[in-house]
Amino acid sequence: MQHDAWNTVRALADYYDTMSDLPREQNWILNVLKIAEETGEAAQAVIGLTGTNPRKGLSHTWDDVRAEVADVIITSMIALARMSPDPDEFFDNQLAAKAGRALEGTGRLPAQRPPARIRNSAKAVIIHDGNVLLTRNLWRGRECHFLPGGGQHPGEPLPHAAEREVLEETGLTVTASQLLWVREWASKPGDFPQDHDIVHRIEIAFHCTLAGSPELTGGHQADSDQIGLEWVPLEKISSLDTLAPHYRDRITALAAGAPQAAAYLPSETGA
């Protein structure tokens, strides 16, 4: 599916999220129930096409049915975008898995999948009163700490992406300033079998300062695997084994006052 379609879906998902004051998971539930409503509309169009309702007779055409089916698909895509930070990749992986099971041995399975797109991710290093802000996530079956941040939207400057992601994930308002590091990593075939593809990320980290209260009230669009937020004392960072080593080393150096020229941090694995 074209990425510009997913960009439009993301914009719709963001719009619906900002229009609702309900908790995010309640919005997800309502969106999934909306899929059922749209499916019912498609079924009614089929009934109208075949004339099986004697009171209404032939009231719909195949164009009507196609339009209702499209509504089911669009509503489902929006639901997926609200529940997943990378809905297009998640969809591609699910499609590949189902096609692999159904088409294996038939000669109809595409010989080679197109490569995964490279994803830019803007990260925020927020230090306040001797603490650094981290998210707590359940990632691939284990609890981890991450820096807040996430995927850049098309046309969005990277510092703005970091500020937006912090607001969505934590509820905090920040200002992005100094570029701290750029880290590139890609998985190897077989690292993450559930993805059915190579995962390739470019991570850009900025030093961010609070522009409001440090109180952690929670964001309106946190990642589905996020389970909490935590101000972690800087003296504990070097021994925090739930935080990846490249984070620990850079944050520890930053806290010690070491000069922070922007650095490129290569990585051979998706760790």
Side-chain angles (χ1 to χ4, degrees):
M1 188 173 294
Q2 295 296 318
H3 289 305
D4 55 354
W6 279 110
N7 292 337
T8 302
V9 168
R10 285 191 182 91
L12 286 168
D14 288 344
Y15 170 74
Y16 291 133
D17 281 337
T18 57
M19 294 296 290
S20 175
D21 294 327
L22 295 173
R24 60 175 182 140
E25 292 191 4
Q26 190 168 343
N27 282 322
W28 298 353
I29 292 170
L30 292 174
N31 205 151
V32 171
L33 293 177
K34 181 67 174 176
I35 297 171
E37 178 185 333
E38 298 292 352
T39 302
E41 295 289 340
Q44 288 296 321
V46 171
I47 292 172
L49 172 74
T50 57
T52 50
N53 184 335
R55 184 173 61 85
K56 294 185 177 181
L58 296 171
S59 57
H60 290 71
T61 67
W62 277 114
D63 282 342
D64 296 324
V65 174
R66 282 189 282 267
E68 296 295 348
V69 170
D71 284 346
V72 174
I73 296 169
I74 293 168
T75 304
S76 301
M77 292 173 70
I78 292 172
L80 193 58
R82 297 175 87 175
M83 294 187 288
S84 172
D86 298 302
D88 44 352
E89 292 186 13
F90 184 88
F91 178 85
D92 288 347
N93 292 332
Q94 292 296 307
L95 179 62
K98 292 183 183 299
R101 291 193 294 268
L103 300 179
E104 186 176 5
T106 66
R108 299 186 180 189
L109 189 65
Q112 185 176 6
R113 294 188 62 214
R117 67 186 178 95
I118 299 175
R119 178 174 180 262
N120 291 336
S121 178
K123 293 290 187 177
V125 179
I126 309 165
I127 296 176
H128 179 74
D129 285 345
N131 302 288
V132 63
L133 181 61
L134 301 176
T135 66
R136 290 173 48 240
N137 299 68
L138 283 177
W139 190 74
R140 302 189 187 278
R142 61 190 179 97
E143 184 170 336
C144 301
H145 282 91
F146 294 139
L147 288 172
Q152 178 188 26
H153 291 175
E156 181 181 41
L158 281 164
H160 293 179
E163 294 166 356
R164 173 185 53 76
E165 285 286 340
V166 170
L167 182 63
E168 291 177 355
E169 294 181 358
T170 73
L172 299 181
T173 302
V174 300
T175 301
S177 55
Q178 182 185 1
L179 173 67
L180 296 177
W181 69 76
V182 176
R183 180 173 181 264
E184 181 174 17
W185 62 269
S187 63
K188 298 176 181 178
D191 280 351
F192 307 126
Q194 62 270 47
D195 286 339
H196 305 281
D197 214 339
I198 299 298
V199 179
H200 193 162
R201 297 285 186 271
I202 308 295
E203 177 186 279
I204 303 96
F206 293 90
H207 185 260
C208 295
T209 55
L210 282 174
S213 170
E215 182 180 0
L216 299 178
T217 59
H220 68 278
Q221 195 177 353
D223 291 345
S224 57
D225 60 7
Q226 182 178 315
I227 59 173
L229 298 165
E230 189 174 352
W231 285 109
V232 179
L234 289 170
E235 62 267 21
K236 294 184 177 181
I237 289 298
S238 62
S239 59
L240 189 66
D241 58 7
T242 52
L243 184 66
H246 61 276
Y247 285 150
R248 295 200 300 265
D249 295 345
R250 297 294 294 179
I251 295 172
T252 299
L254 185 66
Q260 290 297 301
Y264 171 73
L265 309 178
S267 177
E268 296 181 355
T269 70

